[in-house]
Amino acid sequence: MLKVGFIRFLHTRNMSIFTQCLNPLSGTMTWEEKDENYDYHQEVARSAFADMLHDHERNQKYYVALKTAIEKKHQDGEEANVLDIGTGTGLLSMMAAKCGADSIVACEAFTPMAKCAIKIIQENGFEDKIKLVHERSTKMTVGKDCDMAKRANILVTEVFDTELIGEGAISTFRHAHEYLLEENSIIIPHTATIWAQVVESPKVCSWNTVHPVKNRNKCLLNIPHSVKFCSGAAAVHDIQLTQFPHDAFKPLLPPQPIFRFDLTGKSPLLYDEKKCLHVRPIANGTAHAIFMWWDLIMDIDNQVLLSCAPVWEHPDTKALQDKGLSLEAIADMIPWRDHWMQAIYYLPIETPVTTNNEVSLIGYHDEYSLWFQLINETINEIPDCERPICHCNVHVAYCRTRIGQLNDHARNERYIRALEKKVTGKVCLCLSDGCLVGLAAIKLGAKKIFILETNFLSRKCIESFVHTNGLTESVEIIDSTDNLPPEDSINLILGEPHFITSILPWENLYFWYLASKYSPLVQRMPIAATIVGVIVEFKNLHKIRAPLGICEGFDLSIFDRLIQVSSDKSDSPVEAQPLWEYPSKALSVPFVLKKFDLTQNVTEQETISISETVPILSSGMCNGVALWIDWQLDSEISVSSGPTAEVKPGERISWDPFTRQGVILFRDITDVTEESIISWSFSFVPQHGNIKFDFRVLSENVK
């Protein structure tokens, strides 16, 4: 549920928080009693970074760099005084202690994590070696009776995100060099490089630019000029590029090191910078976007490289290909990271390039962000270019997954086929946010369309489509559920369904609640919805919630308990994930949890409580369940938000790239066999809009 506010009052001698929430299923506001420390637990649960600590390559390369730096200082006859900025669990500080550092100061600004780190350091026997400062590094002081008795000569830190600099890395390093470090300090990591690769990819564009709605090569809906030429969203599009189909893009330029950051302090780190590279294309085509990633040189000898490159450009790939391995096999072997992904940057102008002419690839960054442009000629003077900002409202109103969904031709074609059967001569009520196929119904023969748009930004978007396509006389936009048209004025209620307030797939059943304001005698589309699940083995996704236990020889179970307690008190057991980015193997066949008849009113439904079992048909590591919803538009046509091909136990599942599926990650991961059974339960309270799931391994034959 979406939290929108809270009040506190004394309740049974304990302080409780009553949190006002919007139930996205029913569209009603409710009050929920929460633990008095609910906000604290939410913050702690959101700080979980277990997948980063599960990153063995990252951990080991930091370990090696620390060992090398400490040995170097000792060989030079100096003490090794380490500063660890943003210590988190204290892992890097404990590594430094184990490597023989003479002194270690670790800082951590987040209070719960600082307290946790102190306990972890004590539990592992390093309380006499490590001093923890509960403060941001930029607030630390040096001197007698200060945070640090003297400046450090080794800095170790991990303050990077997908964009490298998005967490304030530049200011962190600059401040440390000026106030916290000796002049000839060793910095871990040593240098960082941002790489950019220009590609042609209509599929990538589908996440950024809305395309016209067409039917049999006939245009049903044109795109407003403001949308067509908008720069797009300013926020980074982080993505697991290794999982992006290799045949869905064409590299036009070889990867280019666009920005290099000397973290040692010998060269200044600039807050604002622009770089221009003259590059000869390796293929003819139209440049649509930039793929970006970065790497780190960890040590002063330039021997330890940590790369975030996608599989086709990863430094280990060529050697593995020489051994006869495919890219798909190699993708399963290179380190997986969800904390450091790759990113897509959309070029402000699609640019044709040819192998005959050099182009100018220009990169820009400020303190926190990157952006790019491409000019189809070589230039000597780099032009200024403002960071892209959306001016058309589409990129602000809708997430990239939704924009991709709007461009999904196969999906749109199903809606159009279903609409063609029903809309001719009818007055329709469209109950969905940003429903372009609903607008297209006018060109399919609808007499008039009422469109409910309660979100201001989505309403502005739809208004621009209405004006561009000359639909002002046949489309009426309604801004509130209180202003819905009377029943005798409409013939058909339609929807995709999609709502901005919905996060999990079944939350779009809000369509059912809205449609139920009318009699079941009014025709509806879709006519049914089915919640479907499959038991899976995630290759990596489970690591975002999996406990650490012993990590690189250090006991981090205190961190596990901290996160788990807070997650239990603040998190929903189901989360939304774009599963096409996260490989999974089916352990069962898909099974139906519940099918809803949308032609009947939800207000007339009784509470549903179901308990069933599903057999495991392929042995594996049972670590989660994937859930989605299928919409039955009519008796013949359906649309799924789940797999795009038949699901076969023991094989990888192919997921729809333009929706997010529901995911339940098991706390206790179990090896299962074909004799194993999973029990599941499902409950639905229609009057409150509450849906709950529960899954358990039942079989005694489980290993």
Side-chain angles (χ1 to χ4, degrees):
M1 289 188 185
L2 303 178
K3 176 181 166 188
V4 296
F6 64 84
I7 59 173
R8 300 173 188 265
F9 65 90
L10 192 64
H11 179 63
T12 61
R13 294 188 296 175
N14 293 315
M15 291 297 292
S16 297
I17 295 176
F18 270 66
T19 305
Q20 191 179 24
C21 302
L22 170 67
N23 185 308
L25 203 66
S26 65
T28 57
M29 301 300 296
T30 60
W31 292 93
E32 292 188 359
E33 186 177 359
K34 300 290 187 182
D35 182 278
E36 64 172 312
N37 296 313
Y38 174 73
D39 286 346
Y40 162 85
H41 289 301
Q42 258 201 331
E43 194 172 4
V44 171
R46 295 287 67 74
S47 72
F49 43 82
D51 68 284
M52 180 171 69
L53 295 169
H54 280 294
D55 186 347
H56 180 68
E57 186 201 42
R58 164 200 175 269
N59 297 342
Q60 281 299 306
K61 289 187 173 179
Y62 266 99
Y63 214 155
V64 169
L66 269 167
K67 186 174 185 294
T68 302
I70 291 167
E71 288 177 351
K72 177 74 167 73
K73 287 298 180 185
H74 287 165
Q75 288 169 3
D76 292 344
E78 301 178 51
E79 288 186 346
N81 300 313
V82 176
L83 170 62
D84 175 7
I85 293 179
T87 193
T89 60
L91 178 64
L92 298 182
S93 288
M94 292 189 294
M95 287 179 176
K98 197 168 182 179
C99 291
D102 296 281
S103 72
I104 305 159
V105 176
C107 70
E108 175 58 53
F110 184 45
T111 300
M113 199 55 61
K115 291 179 178 179
C116 180
I118 289 172
K119 292 178 182 178
I120 290 172
I121 289 166
Q122 291 172 344
E123 184 80 13
N124 285 274
F126 294 109
E127 64 268 31
D128 295 334
K129 294 270 191 180
I130 301 168
K131 176 184 177 181
L132 192 137
V133 178
H134 176 207
E135 189 64 86
R136 290 185 179 277
S137 65
T138 52
K139 300 294 184 183
M140 290 177 66
T141 56
V142 179
K144 186 179 179 182
D145 300 324
C146 292
D147 297 320
M148 299 170 63
K150 58 183 177 181
R151 291 186 177 223
N153 59 10
I154 296 174
L155 170 64
V156 62
T157 186
E158 193 281 273
V159 287
F160 310 114
D161 67 350
T162 292
E163 286 194 287
L164 183 76
I165 59 176
E167 291 184 2
I170 294 176
S171 58
T172 297
F173 280 100
R174 282 177 55 142
H175 179 272
H177 281 297
E178 188 169 356
Y179 297 104
L180 306 177
L181 300 173
E182 293 180 0
E183 188 172 341
N184 293 315
S185 293
I186 297 175
I187 311 302
I188 304 169
H190 194 63
T191 59
T193 303
I194 290 176
W195 293 82
Q197 183 172 35
V198 177
V199 299
E200 175 183 87
S201 177
K203 185 166 184 176
V204 160
C205 290
S206 66
W207 280 306
N208 187 62
T209 304
V210 180
H211 304 310
V213 178
K214 295 184 178 181
N215 181 38
R216 304 185 191 95
N217 295 320
K218 178 183 177 182
C219 184
L220 301 181
L221 201 70
N222 284 310
I223 306 305
H225 184 275
S226 61
V227 176
K228 192 181 300 184
F229 295 100
C230 183
S231 298
V236 64
H237 185 180
D238 50 351
I239 191 172
Q240 295 282 0
L241 271 181
T242 288
Q243 302 306 323
F244 189 70
H246 200 64
D247 59 0
F249 70 94
K250 178 168 69 172
L252 300 181
L253 269 62
Q256 301 297 309
I258 191 79
F259 290 114
R260 295 187 187 273
F261 297 92
D262 181 356
L263 305 179
T264 67
K266 293 178 178 142
S267 301
L269 290 171
L270 303 177
Y271 287 129
D272 294 285
E273 192 175 6
K274 53 187 179 181
K275 287 282 183 70
C276 179
L277 303 177
H278 296 157
V279 189
R280 185 171 294 279
I282 56 175
N284 300 328
T286 300
H288 292 132
I290 306 281
F291 288 168
M292 186 281 289
W293 61 90
W294 49 263
D295 60 33
L296 303 172
I297 298 293
M298 303 299 294
D299 63 320
I300 56 177
D301 298 322
N302 297 324
Q303 296 299 307
V304 182
L305 173 69
L306 192 158
S307 174
C308 294
V311 62
W312 66 87
E313 291 296 340
H314 196 276
D316 295 339
T317 292
K318 187 178 186 308
L320 292 170
Q321 283 180 314
D322 289 344
K323 294 180 180 179
L325 294 175
S326 66
L327 275 181
E328 187 175 83
I330 298 168
D332 290 337
M333 299 172 66
I334 64 173
W336 176 83
R337 301 182 172 99
D338 207 45
H339 51 287
W340 296 336
M341 289 193 276
Q342 299 82 38
I344 299 173
Y345 295 85
Y346 298 95
L347 291 167
I349 300 173
E350 294 184 359
T351 306
V353 301
T354 63
T355 56
N356 298 327
N357 298 310
E358 280 194 339
V359 298
S360 298
L361 173 61
I362 309 170
Y364 305 83
H365 77 79
D366 56 21
E367 188 174 352
Y368 300 103
S369 304
L370 304 164
W371 61 99
F372 300 87
Q373 69 168 317
L374 187 73
I375 297 177
N376 194 6
E377 61 179 330
T378 56
I379 60 172
N380 295 318
E381 186 174 344
I382 307 176
D384 290 330
C385 178
E386 295 295 323
R387 184 183 177 212
I389 297 175
C390 173
H391 297 289
C392 73
N393 294 316
V394 165
H395 304 92
V396 182
Y398 312 125
C399 66
R400 288 191 171 93
T401 300
R402 172 58 173 165
I403 293 173
Q405 192 177 75
L406 293 173
N407 290 320
D408 187 344
H409 177 74
R411 179 179 180 275
N412 288 344
E413 191 269 338
R414 289 171 179 262
Y415 278 99
I416 289 167
R417 277 198 291 124
L419 285 168
E420 282 180 316
K421 300 177 185 180
K422 297 183 178 182
V423 300
T424 302
K426 291 184 178 178
V427 177
C428 305
L429 170 61
C430 181
L431 301 175
S432 281
D433 291 336
C435 184
L436 299 187
V437 291
L439 281 179
I442 292 293
K443 293 287 183 69
L444 296 173
K447 183 178 179 181
K448 182 173 182 176
I449 302 281
F450 292 96
I451 294 184
L452 177 65
E453 285 285 354
T454 58
N455 180 276
F456 173 76
L457 288 173
S458 184
R459 187 163 65 250
K460 296 291 285 183
C461 293
I462 291 299
E463 286 173 354
S464 69
F465 278 89
V466 168
H467 290 298
T468 296
N469 288 274
L471 303 177
T472 51
E473 301 210 352
S474 50
V475 174
E476 183 175 334
I477 300 174
I478 303 164
D479 63 2
S480 169
T481 56
D482 295 332
N483 299 325
L484 289 171
E487 185 170 310
D488 60 4
S489 67
I490 59 172
N491 312 115
L492 173 67
I493 300 172
L494 63 93
E496 296 189 52
H498 171 85
F499 298 94
I500 290 171
T501 53
S502 300
I503 298 172
L504 295 165
W506 46 88
E507 289 174 350
N508 288 311
L509 284 169
Y510 181 43
F511 168 85
W512 194 14
Y513 282 83
L514 290 173
S516 295
K517 294 179 181 291
Y518 294 89
S519 163
L521 296 176
V522 180
Q523 194 176 16
R524 299 175 185 176
M525 188 199 86
I527 60 172
T530 306
I531 298 178
V532 190
V534 63
I535 310 299
V536 298
E537 174 185 293
F538 288 113
K539 181 171 178 58
N540 292 302
L541 182 61
H542 63 287
K543 294 176 184 176
I544 67 174
R545 299 288 177 264
L548 291 161
I550 304 300
C551 178
E552 311 303 337
F554 303 99
D555 187 353
L556 300 187
S557 55
I558 292 172
F559 171 76
D560 293 336
R561 291 193 293 271
L562 171 73
I563 297 300
Q564 193 59 62
V565 167
S566 290
S567 180
D568 288 345
K569 292 183 177 181
S570 65
D571 285 347
S572 166
V574 190
E575 57 189 276
Q577 295 285 354
L579 289 185
W580 74 270
E581 294 187 54
Y582 301 100
S584 57
K585 179 179 76 171
L587 300 182
S588 73
V589 294
F591 54 95
V592 172
L593 287 90
K594 180 60 182 175
K595 183 174 182 178
F596 301 102
D597 182 357
L598 305 187
T599 65
Q600 301 300 312
N601 281 355
V602 67
T603 50
E604 298 172 3
Q605 305 297 307
E606 296 182 355
T607 296
I608 297 167
S609 183
I610 305 171
S611 295
E612 297 284 353
T613 61
V614 58
I616 295 296
L617 299 180
S618 175
S619 60
M621 181 174 64
C622 183
N623 53 28
V625 181
L627 300 160
W628 65 94
I629 195 163
D630 292 338
W631 302 97
Q632 195 71 36
L633 304 186
D634 59 26
S635 59
E636 299 175 326
I637 303 171
S638 65
V639 173
S640 177
S641 63
T644 58
E646 181 185 358
V647 175
K648 297 180 180 179
E651 297 184 11
R652 180 170 173 174
I653 304 172
S654 175
W655 295 101
D656 176 16
F658 302 126
T659 56
R660 291 174 182 262
Q661 292 71 37
V663 176
I664 296 176
L665 297 172
F666 294 158
R667 186 182 307 175
D668 299 319
I669 299 171
T670 311
D671 287 341
V672 292
T673 69
E674 294 179 17
E675 298 177 351
S676 302
I677 297 173
I678 303 294
S679 73
W680 60 265
S681 64
F682 169 83
S683 65
F684 174 47
V685 184
Q687 57 266 40
H688 300 304
N690 292 335
I691 285 180
K692 291 184 180 179
F693 305 88
D694 186 61
F695 293 86
R696 297 167 190 250
V697 178
L698 268 189
S699 175
E700 295 180 1
N701 294 321
V702 175
K703 294 180 182 178

